[in-house]
């Protein structure tokens, strides 16, 4: 359990480290609860010995009778003055030893004694390591003795008690050693958690070592009482402890007071804000309550009752006035409430509002969470439109409403008439026992409303994604009955507005992606952007609003809002960044995000954990590095990927330049991005007249993805994207042009056979000069013909399958001033990265690092983030992000290579002895931040692959590559449906397993079995791997093998993806 912290001590202090207890046992715990007193006594002896050595040195340099050379006297003097500084003591001590050894033959007396004790020149870092058992009795455990000693000794005390099983008994409670020590004033104290912030632990250890006096570092590492505890469990326990304030991160350094600085630094940012607000709110009332509890209780109850009564009266008067005002419109007001994680339910709610106006009814709509359940008592007619989330759950913007309503036992709704329409998918959970999840929120809501006494306008309506027109089939029957129940006659002579996408309406109303984002950023009462439209619009700016799902339940128990933060994606065309840009991204991740840097499957940088107050600063710093975030997400062309090919250097430059130019050409032209984030305000009096020459006010129906591949490597998975360019070379290796592919895409929905992944078709060849216009026109065809009503059917793959590939080629050709040629021959051999050192045609060197699932971070065993920072400080070439989430340190000169190799080894970036299965695995982020995730992915895939590796190695397949990919939901961010083995999250701990994808990304896989748990996955795949080893043809890949022997049927097209027969 102590290993991560012991590793960090070894890394930071190396040869200077001296851990006095625990060395002679398997762990610092030993066979019994050790006291610090024994180790303390030993360390005091060592401290005293060095003090005596310092006295000897001082006496020697002041002894005028001794013949000492001036350089030696100076070195000894400087050492004595700086003996408490580890670096200066090392430097001057080394210099003195060299001078002493140079004249060793003539050394006598004290100089000879100094040389004999030369090990004392090094300032050791003394540590005692112990357990939280010391905290139950601080005085008798010996901790008090160390704290009060004023000796330069460090204590590292580990607390292993999980937050979820913490001791609640006040009679058997641990004492707060940190608070106890801070009362002494002359003790350095830090509270750290390695699974929360590695860098914070690092700073605390260094500061403790530098502090002249006793130091205590309280280290949290929860150890649940169960076998084989997963790192994910430890991570979640740590996050709960830190976020709730149970284990705050802080540093107390009394030495800072002498410099006029604040000695206490609280490093848990959210807790810092919560505590500040709490103290400001509670301090005055706390004094009153302490002085007179009875008065306080009476006052509180009285104020609460009065406030509630007044609130109800004001609401009723407002509703009555509103009803009177709107009475002339022909009927009572109608309140339409929606719950929607996407846009379908909200879109139907907006359609009802417009339908009401056409029928001379007054209507308004809102998200369910934006009203209270008491509001229902004041309404005459309430209509609910509710989608289904996850495993039969309420959507995010309806959960608080449902929580309150489901807990209510009485509610005066006897005069309220209600109607409910639900949206669901009857095949999302195909198992018979899971049928209860189908449209469960709408069914539960309808039943609860009737239970409380509300009157139904009409029967419950249930929209089903499996119907011919999805939920529209049931809606077409239910909506006319609704109007009839409200006393509205069929419309005559009035043409209803054509159906319009809710998202398109939102884009039009946004004034070219502005919305109310700027106003939302100024609201410091919440960590979120409240307006739902703004959370969608920020995607166009490269931003996703998220919350930490590991903390949801605990924060809900405490009455706190979700732990909101933002993901920010940086657009990096072709994945190429300079060392200066790498250093900028590294710094930004520490200053404004969670301290890690994510390399994505689309060759982009991603920051996670960006708090709202840091959001603008984050984006400004990104732009300062000459990168940006616009169009990294949203219904536009996203970051264009490009093969990072380090071998054909001249060709890479040409295709990367093309990717960069195409990305710039397809970039949205709105000035909203610069106004909101970069404060480039318009001159006073200047009107905002934006224009999008390519996109128009409604932009694209859905996201649009473009890649550029360079055979023989298909690392970008060119067939998995809307538009692809396959580089074709001339005989001399120069760029001849591109084969053009269209209609690929990965996203689908579990159980909905009308959604499926699809591989792109090759439609022709264009020259380099024709490529940008070809890309533009392909995108414009999708802009004009893509489905804008159903976002699940809005990608280019469906446009092509609905109308036919020949129709698409004809439509595209009609827009181009040149004729596409016939495709040219090419061949893909793999889609993996080439790890380690390789040399390009221009004799420059390139090193591909393995970055586990693209997460650049420091751990005690692998301080990769620090290592890459040090490399970037000296590197003169490039950093290339690969499509498989790894990193190439590119264009390294022959002179630079040995220096970089030293750093690679020092920071464990040279570690490439993984199995081929691990090297070819890839996962999306999923939990804890992705709102769509149903299961773990990034945090879990490595451990699952490790379970398979024992069999792989046993049968001699360690070096045989198998493409393995995992996603937390079926949207396909890690491109799982072209993998030989894919795991797609279905529920927490359960995955659909897909087999048979092409090793080069040239064939879709197919569903093998649904909802398998870890033991079931291992049990299914282990015999398959053994059989592959025994029966494979020469060079046969796993995906080809499972099809040949009949384990799975080959998928020949996207439309047959769900065909299992």
């Amino acid at each position: 359990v102590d290993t991560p912290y012991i590793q960090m001590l070894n890394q930071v202090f190396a040869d200077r480290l001296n851990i006095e207890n625990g060395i002679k046992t398997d762990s610092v715990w030993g066979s019994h609860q050790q006291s610090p007193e024994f180790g303390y006594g030993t360390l005091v002896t060592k401290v005293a010995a060095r003090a005596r050595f310092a006295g000897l040195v001082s006496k020697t340099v002041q002894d005028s009778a001794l013949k000492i050379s001036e350089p030696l006297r100076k070195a000894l003097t400087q050492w004595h003055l700086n003996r408490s500084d580890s670096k200066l003591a090392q430097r001057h001590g080394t210099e003195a030893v060299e001078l002493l050894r140079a004249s060793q033959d003539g050394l006598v007396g004290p100089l000879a004694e100094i040389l004999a004790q030369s090990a004392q020149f090094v300032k050791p870092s003394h540590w005692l390591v112990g357990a939280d058992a010391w905290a139950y009795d601080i005085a008798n455990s010996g901790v008090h003795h160390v704290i009060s000693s004023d000796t330069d000794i460090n204590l590292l005390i580990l607390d292993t008690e999980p937050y979820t099983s913490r001791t609640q008994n006040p009679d058997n409670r641990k004492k707060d050693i940190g608070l106890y020590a801070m009362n002494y004033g002359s003790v350095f104290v830090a509270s750290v958690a390695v699974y929360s912030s590695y860098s914070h632990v690092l700073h605390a250890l260094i500061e403790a070592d530098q502090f002249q006096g006793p130091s205590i570092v309280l280290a949290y590492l929860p150890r649940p009482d169960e076998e084989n505890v997963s790192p994910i469990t430890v991570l979640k326990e740590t996050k709960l402890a830190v976020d709730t304030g149970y284990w705050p991160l802080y540093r107390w350094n009394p030495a800072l007071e002498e410099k006029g600085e604040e000695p206490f630094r609280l490093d848990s940012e959210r807790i810092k804000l919560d505590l500040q607000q709490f103290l400001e709110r509670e301090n005055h009332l706390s004094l009153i309550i302490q002085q007179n509890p009875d008065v306080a209780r009476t006052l509180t109850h009285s104020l609460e009752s009065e406030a509630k009564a007044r609130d109800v009266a004001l609401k009723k008067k407002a509703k009555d006035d509103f009803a009177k005002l709107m009475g002339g419109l022909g009927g009572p007001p109608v309140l339409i409430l929606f719950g929607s994680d996407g846009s379908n339910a909200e879109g139907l709610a907006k359609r009802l509002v417009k339908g009401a106006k056409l029928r001379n009814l007054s209507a308004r709509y809102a998200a369910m969470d934006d009203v209270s359940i008491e509001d229902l008592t004041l309404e005459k007619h309430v209509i609910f439109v509710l989608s289904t989330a996850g495993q039969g759950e309420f959507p995010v913007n309806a959960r608080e409403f449902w929580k309150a309503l489901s807990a209510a036992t009485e509610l005066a709704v006897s005069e309220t008439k209600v109607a409910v329409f639900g949206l669901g998918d009857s095949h999302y959970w195909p198992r018979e026992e899971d049928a209860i999840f189908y449209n469960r929120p709408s069914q539960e809501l309808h039943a609860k409303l009737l239970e409380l006494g509300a009157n139904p306008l009409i029967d419950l309506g249930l929209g089903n994604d499996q119907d011919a027109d999805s939920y529209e089939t049931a809606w077409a029957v239910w909506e006319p009955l609704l109007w009839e129940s409200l006393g509205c006659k069929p419309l005559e002579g009035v043409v209803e507005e054509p159906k319009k996408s809710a998202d398109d309406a939102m884009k039009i109303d946004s004034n070219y992606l502005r919305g109310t984002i700027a106003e939302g950023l100024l609201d410091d009462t919440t960590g979120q952007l409240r307006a739902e439209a703004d959370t969608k619009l920020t995607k166009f700016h490269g931003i996703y609003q998220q919350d930490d799902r590991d903390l949801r339940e605990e924060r809900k128990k405490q009455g706190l809002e979700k732990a909101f933060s933002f993901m920010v994606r940086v657009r990096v065309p072709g994945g190429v960044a300079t060392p200066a840009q790498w250093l900028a991204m590294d710094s930004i991740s520490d200053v404004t995000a969670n301290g890690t840097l994510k390399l994505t499957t689309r060759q982009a940088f991603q920051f996670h954990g960006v708090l709202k107050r840091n959001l603008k600063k984050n984006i400004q710093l990104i732009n300062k590095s000459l990168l940006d975030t616009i169009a990294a997400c949203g219904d536009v062309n996203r970051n264009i990927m490009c093969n990072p090919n380090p071998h054909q250097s001249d060709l890479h430059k040409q295709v990367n330049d093309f990717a960069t130019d195409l990305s710039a050409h397809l970039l949205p032209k709105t000035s909203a991005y610069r106004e909101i984030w970069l404060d480039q305000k318009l001159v006073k009096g200047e009107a905002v007249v934006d224009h999008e020459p390519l996109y128009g006010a409604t932009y694209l129906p859905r996201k649009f993805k473009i890649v550029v591949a360079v055979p023989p490597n298909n690392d970008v998975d060119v067939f998995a994207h809307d538009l692809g360019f396959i580089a074709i070379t001339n005989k001399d290796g120069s760029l001849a042009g591109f084969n053009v592919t269209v209609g690929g895409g990965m996203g689908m929905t579990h159980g909905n056979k009308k959604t499926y992944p699809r591989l792109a078709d090759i439609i022709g060849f264009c020259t380099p000069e024709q490529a940008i216009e070809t890309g533009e026109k392909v995108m414009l065809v999708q802009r004009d013909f893509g489905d804008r009503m159903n976002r699940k059917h809005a990608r280019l793959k469906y446009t092509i399958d609905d109308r036919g590939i020949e129709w698409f080629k004809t439509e595209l050709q009609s827009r181009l001033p040149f004729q596409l040629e016939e495709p040219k021959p090419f061949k893909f051999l793999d889609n993996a990265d080439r790890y380690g050192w390789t040399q390009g045609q221009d004799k420059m060197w390139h090193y591909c690092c393995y970055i586990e699932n693209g997460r650049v971070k420091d751990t005690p065993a692998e301080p990769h983030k620090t290592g890459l920072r040090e490399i970037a400080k000296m590197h003169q070439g490039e950093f290339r992000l690969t499509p498989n989430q790894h990193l190439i340190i590119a264009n390294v000169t022959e002179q630079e290579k040995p220096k970089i190799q030293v750093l690679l080894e020092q920071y464990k970036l040279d570690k490439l002895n993984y199995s081929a299965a691990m090297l070819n695995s890839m996962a999306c982020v999923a939990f804890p931040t992705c709102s769509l995730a149903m299961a773990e992915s990034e945090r879990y895939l490595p451990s699952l692959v490790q379970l398979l590796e024992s069999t792989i190695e046993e049968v001699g397949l360690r070096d045989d590559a198998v493409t393995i990919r995992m996603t937390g939901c079926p949207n396909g961010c890690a491109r799982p449906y072209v993998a030989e083995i894919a795991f797609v999250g279905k529920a927490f701990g359960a995955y659909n397993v897909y087999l048979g994808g092409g090793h080069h990304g040239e064939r879709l896989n197919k569903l093998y079995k649904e909802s398998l748990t870890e033991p079931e996955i291992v049990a299914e795949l282990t015999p398959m791997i053994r059989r592959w080893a025994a029966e494979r043809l020469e060079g046969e890949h796993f995906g080809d093998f499972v099809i040949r022997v009949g384990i799975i049927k080959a998928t020949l097209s996207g439309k047959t993806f769900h065909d299992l027969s």
Side-chain angles (χ1 to χ4, degrees), residues 574 576 603 642-653 655-656 708-713 715-716 727 729 733 833-834 838-842 846 878 880-883 888 890-891:
V576 178
Q603 294 179 287
C642 179
N643 175 278
N645 187 354
H647 312 284
Q648 300 164 277
S649 48
D650 292 339
L651 181 62
H652 175 266
K653 185 179 187 310
V655 295
N656 189 74
V708 184
V710 181
N713 188 271
D715 53 358
V716 297
T729 58
D833 292 330
R834 302 173 188 178
T838 56
Q839 192 172 28
Q841 295 171 334
D842 57 358
H846 314 271
E878 298 168 337
R880 297 182 190 173
L881 285 59
T882 80
I888 297 175
N891 291 329

Side-chain angles (χ1 to χ4, degrees), residues 199-412:
S199 59
H200 179 247
V201 179
L202 199 63
H203 288 304
L205 295 179
I206 292 172
E207 287 186 35
D209 176 66
Q210 293 173 344
F211 184 75
Q212 301 304 303
S215 299
I216 293 182
V217 177
L218 306 171
Y220 191 60
L221 194 65
R223 186 87 172 167
D225 188 18
E226 55 186 84
E227 294 183 5
N228 302 319
V229 178
S230 72
I232 297 176
T233 301
V234 178
L235 174 64
K236 289 181 177 180
E237 289 285 350
T238 303
K239 289 169 70 174
L240 284 170
V242 172
D243 186 78
T244 58
Y246 171 76
W247 193 270
L249 306 184
Y250 65 81
R251 285 168 287 169
W252 165 266
N253 190 346
L256 294 178
E257 282 188 299
E258 300 175 6
K259 302 176 183 179
E261 299 177 23
E262 174 60 47
F264 185 79
R265 286 163 293 176
L266 189 58
D267 298 300
S268 315
E269 288 200 46
R270 286 198 186 96
I271 299 301
K272 183 176 183 179
L273 181 62
D274 293 341
L275 283 176
Q276 180 181 339
Q277 293 175 341
F278 176 80
L279 291 172
E280 290 175 353
R281 184 175 66 248
E282 299 293 324
N283 190 43
H284 181 63
L285 284 177
S286 296
L287 292 174
I288 296 175
I289 291 171
Q290 289 173 6
Q291 292 171 2
N292 197 330
D294 293 334
V295 172
R297 280 193 293 271
T298 303
L299 176 63
T300 303
H301 184 269
S302 175
L303 286 173
E304 183 179 5
S305 301
E306 184 180 341
K308 282 187 175 180
R310 180 171 175 76
D311 181 58
V312 170
L314 286 173
K315 280 185 177 180
K316 189 174 189 315
K317 185 176 186 305
K319 299 290 184 184
D320 290 344
D321 289 345
F322 182 78
K324 290 178 183 177
L325 179 65
M326 296 297 178
L329 290 177
V334 177
L335 174 62
I336 302 165
L337 299 178
F338 66 87
S340 177
D341 277 342
S343 59
N344 291 333
E346 182 181 3
L348 291 178
K350 290 180 178 179
R351 280 162 59 180
L352 285 177
V353 171
K354 292 179 179 178
K357 290 180 179 178
L358 289 173
R359 292 167 174 82
N360 207 27
L361 294 177
S362 61
R364 66 192 193 284
Y365 77 104
M368 289 169 65
D369 278 356
D370 289 341
V371 300
S372 69
I373 62 171
E374 286 78 13
D375 290 338
L376 301 182
T377 65
L378 307 173
E379 300 289 342
K380 297 296 183 184
H381 299 96
V382 184
I383 303 168
F384 294 87
V385 185
L386 183 61
S387 63
T388 306
Q391 194 167 350
E393 301 165 6
F394 276 72
V396 172
N397 58 1
R399 289 177 185 171
E400 295 305 314
F401 179 93
W402 172 244
K403 179 183 175 182
L405 187 70
S406 61
T409 56
E410 293 183 2
L411 194 67

Side-chain angles (χ1 to χ4, degrees), residues 3-222:
T3 301
Y5 291 103
I6 301 300
Q7 285 180 337
M8 292 188 72
L9 288 173
N10 277 294
Q11 289 170 0
V12 174
F13 304 117
D15 294 339
R16 293 199 302 114
L17 178 63
N18 175 41
I19 300 178
E20 197 53 49
N21 64 330
I23 292 297
K24 299 179 180 64
T25 61
D26 293 336
S27 166
V28 297
W29 318 119
S31 58
H32 60 282
Q33 293 181 338
Q34 293 189 4
S35 158
E37 289 182 319
F38 171 78
Y40 170 69
T42 307
L43 288 182
V44 166
T45 302
K46 293 185 176 182
V47 171
R50 190 166 188 262
R52 287 194 300 272
F53 177 76
L56 174 62
V57 171
S58 176
K59 183 178 179 181
T60 300
V61 295
Q62 295 180 51
D63 189 346
S64 57
L66 282 174
K67 292 183 179 180
I68 305 176
S69 66
E70 191 56 35
L72 177 57
R73 188 183 299 276
K74 181 179 179 182
L76 290 172
T77 301
Q78 287 298 317
W79 176 85
H80 190 270
L81 292 172
N82 297 285
R83 64 188 183 278
S84 297
D85 185 310
S86 59
K87 291 183 180 179
L88 293 177
Q90 179 88 27
R91 183 201 306 171
H92 297 302
T94 301
E95 183 182 355
V97 170
E98 290 174 354
L99 291 170
L100 286 167
R101 286 175 177 167
S103 55
Q104 186 169 355
D105 294 339
L107 290 182
V108 293
L111 290 176
E113 191 176 348
I114 289 173
L115 182 58
Q117 299 181 47
S118 58
Q120 297 285 8
F121 279 122
V122 177
K123 179 185 182 295
S125 185
H126 294 303
W127 289 86
L128 296 174
V129 182
D132 51 359
W134 294 354
Y136 288 98
D137 191 343
I138 295 176
N140 293 329
S141 68
V143 172
H144 168 81
H145 199 51
V146 177
I147 290 174
S148 59
S149 68
D150 201 31
T151 307
D152 190 6
I153 292 175
N154 308 299
L155 267 68
L156 177 68
I157 302 176
L158 277 77
D159 192 314
T160 61
E161 185 177 37
Y163 173 78
T164 53
S165 57
R166 60 197 183 280
T167 302
Q168 304 288 350
N169 183 2
D171 297 327
N172 186 31
R173 191 171 54 198
K174 288 179 287 189
K175 309 304 185 293
D176 191 331
I177 294 179
L179 188 60
Y180 184 87
M182 283 189 282
N183 281 326
Y184 273 83
S186 58
V187 182
F188 174 88
V189 184
S191 176
V192 302
V194 70
Y195 271 77
S196 178
S197 175
Y198 175 91
S199 59
H200 179 247
V201 179
L202 199 63
H203 288 304
L205 295 179
I206 292 172
E207 287 186 35
D209 176 66
Q210 293 173 344
F211 184 75
Q212 301 304 303
S215 299
I216 293 182
V217 177
L218 306 171
Y220 191 60
L221 194 65

Side-chain angles (χ1 to χ4, degrees), residues 812-943:
L812 173 63
Q813 198 63 68
S814 71
R815 301 179 183 224
L816 292 172
F818 48 83
Q819 190 74 28
L820 291 177
E821 301 175 32
E822 287 298 310
K824 309 296 183 185
F826 67 94
K827 187 174 184 179
F828 287 129
L829 297 178
D830 62 78
N831 63 355
D833 292 330
R834 302 173 188 178
Y835 300 98
W837 286 107
T838 56
Q839 192 172 28
Q841 295 171 334
D842 57 358
K843 306 303 179 184
M844 298 293 277
W845 288 95
H846 314 271
Y847 185 85
C848 183
C849 308
Y850 172 79
I851 307 294
E852 186 177 274
N853 291 320
R855 182 69 63 180
V856 181
K857 61 183 180 181
D858 281 336
T859 67
E862 297 177 340
H864 288 172
K865 192 164 184 280
T866 299
L868 291 169
R869 183 189 310 129
E870 294 305 312
I871 290 173
K873 289 178 182 177
M874 62 165 292
H875 184 36
Q876 300 299 312
E878 298 168 337
F879 284 84
R880 297 182 190 173
L881 285 59
T882 80
N884 293 309
Q885 300 179 304
H886 303 299
L887 180 68
I888 297 175
I889 303 167
N891 291 329
V892 178
T893 64
E894 194 72 47
Q895 296 75 23
E896 196 181 36
K897 184 175 178 246
K899 300 175 184 176
I900 288 183
Q901 180 62 37
V902 170
L903 293 173
L904 291 172
E905 294 172 4
Q906 180 180 348
Y907 294 101
K908 308 300 187 260
L909 287 159
D910 65 330
K911 185 180 177 183
L912 298 174
N913 60 334
Y914 301 96
S915 69
M918 186 70 80
L919 291 172
N920 284 268
S921 65
M922 184 164 69
C924 69
V925 175
F927 286 120
T929 52
C930 179
S931 62
L932 301 176
M934 303 171 185
E936 292 283 359
S937 183
E938 177 189 320
R939 300 192 298 193
Y940 173 57
L941 180 60
S943 62

Side-chain angles (χ1 to χ4, degrees), residues 456-592:
L457 278 166
I458 54 173
D459 291 338
L460 170 67
L462 298 178
N464 190 348
D465 278 352
Q466 298 299 320
D467 289 340
D469 291 323
S470 189
Y471 58 83
E472 293 283 359
T473 302
W475 181 262
V477 176
W478 187 83
E479 186 187 16
L481 295 176
L482 174 67
W483 298 128
E484 184 180 339
S485 70
L486 290 170
C488 300
K489 297 180 180 179
L491 294 175
E492 296 181 3
V494 178
V495 180
E496 290 195 59
E497 287 187 40
K499 297 175 183 177
K500 185 181 293 184
S501 159
D503 283 84
D504 277 2
M506 177 266 297
K507 296 172 202 173
I508 293 170
D509 294 341
S510 75
N511 187 17
Y512 292 96
L513 310 182
R514 287 173 175 81
T516 58
I517 297 173
E519 293 80 359
L521 291 171
L522 298 176
D523 182 3
D524 59 5
T525 64
T526 176
Q528 65 174 317
L529 291 173
R530 293 185 187 276
E532 186 174 1
D534 288 343
T535 65
K536 294 180 179 180
L537 290 171
T538 49
K539 293 178 183 179
F540 290 80
H541 299 256
I543 301 161
Y544 277 80
Q545 179 169 292
Q546 301 177 327
D547 75 284
D548 193 323
R549 295 173 66 177
D550 287 345
L551 303 174
R552 274 186 187 175
E553 290 305 314
E554 186 62 31
R555 292 181 72 86
K556 185 184 292 186
K557 290 177 185 175
Q558 297 187 7
L560 301 172
E561 75 170 7
K562 296 172 184 174
F564 289 107
S565 64
F566 295 82
M567 181 273 281
V568 179
R569 184 178 296 155
V570 183
R571 192 173 59 91
V572 190
V576 178
T578 66
Q581 288 170 332
W582 181 274
L583 288 172
M585 298 301 104
D586 177 272
S587 173
I588 293 168
S589 71
D590 288 333
V591 173
T592 65

Side-chain angles (χ1 to χ4, degrees), residues 955-971:
V955 297
L957 298 176
R958 188 179 195 279
D959 297 324
D960 290 75
V962 183
T963 308
I964 302 176
R965 294 179 180 172
M966 175 179 281
T967 57
C969 78
N971 285 345

